[in-house]
Amino acid sequence: MTSLVLIDGRPMAPEAAKVSVFDRGFLYGDSVFETIRTYGGRPFALPRHLARLAKSAASVFIDLPVSVEQLGREVQSAIVGAGNPESYVRLTLTRGVGETLGLDPGLSRHALRVVIVTPLKSPAPEMYRDGVSVVSYRTERVTDNSPAAGAKVGNYLTAVLANREVRKAGAAEALIVDGRSRVVEGATSNVFVVEHDGTLVTPPEEDGILLGITRETVLSVAADLGIPVRFESLPLEHVKRAAEVFISSSIRELLPVVSIDREVVGSGAPGVVTMRLLSAFRDQCRRSVLA
Ligand SMILES: Cc1ncc(COP(=O)(O)O)c(C=O)c1O
């Protein structure tokens, strides 16, 4: 099992992979990124991840240093070079090194791209079997109500701080609750509830969420299964009273949530609809990498 890094397209061992201290990603979190995983050794939904990266970059005015196609080839070659059965891929694009220190984005002319491939570590099987606990975390995020809302920008400090509370509580994720007491998403996941009538509900894009690739796939799988879907803001108290709750992300797929702030959700066990969706989701991922 190996890790491999590509900086500006050049492959190197992780120990040799170094970026300048003047890089704006380091100085200001002035970057965008994607997290991708493989199924059967092939990246899942690579074109959608690349499109989202390009959209995130455009929203903060970082010019892509190479074409999206070239980025895709680099990701593919890094995965093959690492040679793991399943890989975790982190693709980062920073605004690069500025001519001098200073916030002016015009000081940098060339974005830096980094691909990191490591062996995939999936959540433990018990987390799917028994479900996970989460905590709520009230906050405004750096990008909320800004032109970068919904972009996957490098500044994840809020999620880092939320994760401190997650760790303290022995939980698996933080539900981000905005100033209007609405659960918008997880620190690094999207949130879904299953209502008592079986409808799947998830917050709309306007709530300032990251449009998760997993979320999108869950929605298409739900349509295939004939599960009704609504896009609605989710007050925290409503989420706590839902029949089922789950979070979604590329690495964690769909994780059933069985308690929020130590209050039991639904039956206290992973819900039937959640597990149907998880199974159909995994089938869809495996099918799509073969297509
Ligand atoms: C804030 C946030 N929301 C949602 C997601 C889920 O996105 P995806 O399903 O594309 O991994 C992530 C993933 O890291 C995230 O950081």
Side-chain angles (χ1 to χ4, degrees), residues 174-186:
L175 302 185
I176 303 298
V177 178
D178 70 6
R180 293 160 70 183
S181 292
R182 304 177 310 185
V183 173
V184 284
E185 59 188 327

Side-chain angles (χ1 to χ4, degrees), residues 37 120-132 251-256 258 270 275 278 282:
R37 66 155 284 178
L120 176 74
K121 280 202 207 89
S122 291
E126 308 84 80
M127 295 172 84
Y128 297 97
R129 189 193 63 206
D130 304 335
V132 298
I251 305 302
R252 288 169 293 178
E253 303 177 304
L254 283 66
L255 262 187
V258 293
M275 297 319 270
L278 172 62
R282 286 180 167 157

Side-chain angles (χ1 to χ4, degrees), residues 48-276:
R48 284 193 274 155
H49 280 285
L50 294 171
R52 188 171 66 181
L53 184 82
K55 196 168 158 221
S56 296
S59 75
V60 295
F61 314 104
I62 293 180
D63 294 330
L64 297 188
V66 292
S67 66
V68 161
E69 292 72 26
Q70 175 63 17
L71 280 175
R73 281 191 289 274
E74 291 180 6
V75 167
Q76 299 268 21
S77 80
I79 292 169
V80 171
N84 302 310
E86 296 296 3
S87 286
Y88 172 120
V89 183
R90 158 92 188 209
L91 170 59
T92 307
L93 200 61
T94 81
R95 203 181 300 276
V97 171
E99 287 160 22
T100 60
L101 287 174
L103 286 178
D104 176 4
L107 289 170
S108 165
R109 303 202 188 288
H110 197 73
L112 177 94
R113 60 194 195 278
V114 177
V115 182
I116 303 174
V117 177
T118 62
L120 176 74
K121 280 202 207 89
S122 291
E126 308 84 80
M127 295 172 84
Y128 297 97
R129 189 193 63 206
D130 304 335
V132 298
S133 303
V134 301
V135 289
S136 59
Y137 188 75
R138 283 178 194 272
T139 186
E140 294 286 328
R141 294 172 299 178
V142 181
T143 52
D144 284 345
N145 306 312
S146 82
K152 205 163 163 65
V153 296
N155 190 324
Y156 258 50
L157 195 57
T158 309
V160 170
L161 297 179
N163 263 270
R164 192 169 163 270
E165 302 306 318
V166 166
R167 179 184 278 263
K168 277 204 302 207
E173 175 64 305
L175 302 185
I176 303 298
V177 178
D178 70 6
R180 293 160 70 183
S181 292
R182 304 177 310 185
V183 173
V184 284
E185 59 188 327
T188 58
S189 57
N190 291 112
V191 176
F192 289 83
V193 305
V194 179
E195 304 281 22
H196 291 275
D197 69 358
T199 306
L200 187 63
V201 185
T202 194
E205 182 175 7
E206 304 78 75
D207 283 7
I209 61 168
L210 178 76
L211 287 177
I213 307 288
T214 317
R215 174 183 181 274
E216 192 183 15
T217 311
V218 167
L219 293 170
S220 107
V221 163
D224 293 347
L225 294 176
I227 297 172
V229 175
R230 278 202 321 267
F231 299 94
E232 251 171 44
S233 299
L234 291 173
L236 176 60
E237 289 315 310
H238 184 91
V239 177
K240 287 184 173 175
R241 287 193 307 272
E244 303 179 24
V245 177
F246 65 89
I247 55 171
S248 72
S249 79
S250 296
I251 305 302
R252 288 169 293 178
E253 303 177 304
L254 283 66
L255 262 187
V257 172
V258 293
S259 95
I260 303 174
D261 298 336
R262 301 196 187 282
E263 294 169 45
V264 173
V265 170
S267 68
V272 175
V273 177
T274 302
M275 297 319 270
R276 261 182 86 203

